[in-house]
Amino acid sequence: MSEGQENQDGEFLREHDYESLPTTSSFVTHMIAGAVAGILEHAVMYPVDSVKTRMQSLQPDPKAQYRSVFDALYRMVRTEGLLTPLRGLNVTMLGAGPAHAVYFACYERVKYILSNVFQGGGNSHIANGAAGCVATVIHDAVMNPAEVVKQRMQVYNSPYQGLWDCVWRVGCAEGPAAFYRSYGTQLLMNVPFQSMHFVIYELIQEQLNPHRQYRPGSHILAGAAAGAISAAVTTPLDVCKTLLNTQEGVALGLDHNGNRYSHVTGLMGAVRTVYRFGGVTAFFKGLQARVIYHMPSTAIAWTVYEFFKHSLTEQQLETGGRTGSRD
């Protein structure tokens, strides 16, 4: 093969093949890229996530009633301290790395397998949605305990001093099952969320980036749109999930009729409690904060993920080229 032809082939690989990495190393590459993307996604937008948790409170303390996301952030910092919006960030980082590593790696692998089945290796929306479902089931199994601890530390007047204090006290008082009390609801929310998210992302990518080259602008726009739409549609389930994680009813003690609460369990129990306190509108508490959180965070996740996937593939191709030239 001529040197010119080799250079052309190398350029073609660099522009196109990072979307279909070699089978022997793609899983590790996707895991590394996914872990970095997940950690950055949660870290950058974490203060808005804290606001969302508080805005979803069914009976907020008068000192924790906010007009907007920015009003909430301002008042949290002014009255509770600069680091208040970051409470629970440490446990989120501990969960987000491994959860997103398996999330993206499973998504890419399942998408590759199902695309071959449904579309002969081409892009398939059915494969994208199904891959998103499988990846979500595994992701949530890893992340759910971290979500419980995180949200209990985010609420106003949280009684927990830190990560391990929360883990110990919740475990002793409510048992290990407390860390998975919302898992079913989380899946019911995240399976449609992620399926919709992946399908919308891939649809927009088809229009903006049909050759699937590394183009940050297309990843940002597609990720932001996919995150915003999916977040808005699944907000009612997120409100129920927050209630199951924080067990706000137990903290409140009594409802409007003077009845004492026990622990809220299951999706239907959460639905009844949310409706009892605020009617239909209560299911959309925190909608603004949820969309504001997911638009940039999803854009960040996809952009960082695609960047690292592209960079790792570049290194892999260069290493392979050097090995081939020696042979």
Side-chain angles (χ1 to χ4, degrees):
M1 182 183 293
S2 68
E3 184 177 347
Q5 183 63 41
E6 287 179 354
N7 289 338
Q8 289 178 1
D9 289 347
E11 286 303 312
F12 180 83
L13 285 171
R14 280 169 168 73
E15 290 180 359
H16 299 276
D17 273 12
Y18 91 97
E19 285 289 346
S20 53
L21 302 176
T23 305
T24 55
S25 58
S26 61
F27 197 78
V28 174
T29 299
H30 291 309
M31 288 190 76
I32 295 171
V36 175
I39 290 172
L40 288 177
E41 168 195 352
H42 285 282
V44 172
M45 297 305 300
Y46 190 81
V48 179
D49 186 57
S50 295
V51 170
K52 184 210 68 160
T53 296
R54 292 195 178 194
M55 284 186 152
Q56 290 179 338
S57 171
L58 299 180
Q59 292 266 282
D61 186 283
K63 296 178 181 178
Q65 293 179 346
Y66 311 113
R67 294 189 301 272
S68 68
V69 172
F70 299 105
D71 175 57
L73 285 172
Y74 173 75
R75 290 172 58 187
M76 286 168 70
V77 170
R78 184 169 63 87
T79 62
E80 301 173 56
L82 183 63
L83 298 180
T84 299
L86 300 179
R87 275 181 59 86
L89 178 60
N90 51 356
V91 68
T92 302
M93 297 299 96
L94 288 174
H100 279 70
V102 296
Y103 172 72
F104 278 106
C106 288
Y107 170 71
E108 294 285 358
R109 177 59 62 187
V110 175
K111 182 179 76 169
Y112 173 78
I113 294 170
L114 294 181
S115 292
N116 284 330
V117 173
F118 293 117
Q119 204 75 14
N123 186 46
S124 165
H125 301 311
I126 296 176
N128 297 336
C133 291
V134 174
T136 298
V137 171
I138 299 173
H139 168 276
D140 287 358
V142 177
M143 196 67 188
N144 208 85
E147 280 285 316
V148 173
V149 175
K150 176 199 76 173
Q151 291 200 295
R152 293 208 180 199
M153 293 180 68
Q154 287 175 329
V155 297
Y156 180 75
N157 253 354
S158 172
Y160 307 108
Q161 299 302 309
L163 162 60
W164 298 114
D165 177 54
C166 182
V167 171
W168 175 257
R169 290 170 62 181
V170 171
C172 289
E174 303 173 43
F179 297 104
Y180 280 94
R181 189 179 283 127
S182 65
Y183 182 57
T185 301
Q186 182 103 337
L187 285 180
L188 284 173
M189 175 183 72
N190 278 346
V191 166
F193 175 93
Q194 298 298 354
S195 298
M196 196 184 315
H197 158 220
F198 280 118
V199 169
I200 293 171
Y201 179 82
E202 298 286 358
L203 273 171
I204 296 175
Q205 282 288 84
E206 280 186 358
Q207 302 302 314
L208 300 180
N209 189 14
H211 298 297
R212 298 309 173 97
Q213 298 173 353
Y214 173 61
R215 290 181 177 171
S218 71
H219 303 316
I220 291 171
L221 289 174
I229 296 169
S230 303
V233 171
T234 55
T235 294
L237 288 168
D238 190 52
V239 172
C240 293
K241 182 209 75 174
T242 296
L243 174 62
L244 290 170
N245 281 346
T246 61
Q247 291 297 308
E248 184 187 3
V250 176
L252 290 171
L254 301 173
D255 67 9
H256 294 305
N257 297 319
N259 299 315
R260 182 161 294 279
Y261 276 116
S262 59
H263 288 103
V264 182
T265 58
L267 175 59
M268 294 313 299
V271 169
R272 286 192 294 269
T273 303
V274 171
Y275 185 78
R276 182 186 307 150
F277 269 95
V280 174
T281 57
F283 289 98
F284 293 92
K285 280 177 169 282
L287 173 63
Q288 179 194 42
R290 182 165 163 80
V291 171
I292 289 175
Y293 170 78
H294 277 285
M295 274 190 74
S297 66
T298 310
I300 290 167
W302 275 112
T303 305
V304 173
Y305 174 67
E306 298 284 5
F307 169 75
F308 273 89
K309 189 167 71 167
H310 176 68
S311 299
L312 291 168
T313 305
E314 287 269 300
Q315 294 176 10
Q316 190 177 79
L317 290 171
E318 288 175 5
T319 303
R322 287 195 296 269
T323 303
S325 64
R326 287 197 297 270
D327 294 341

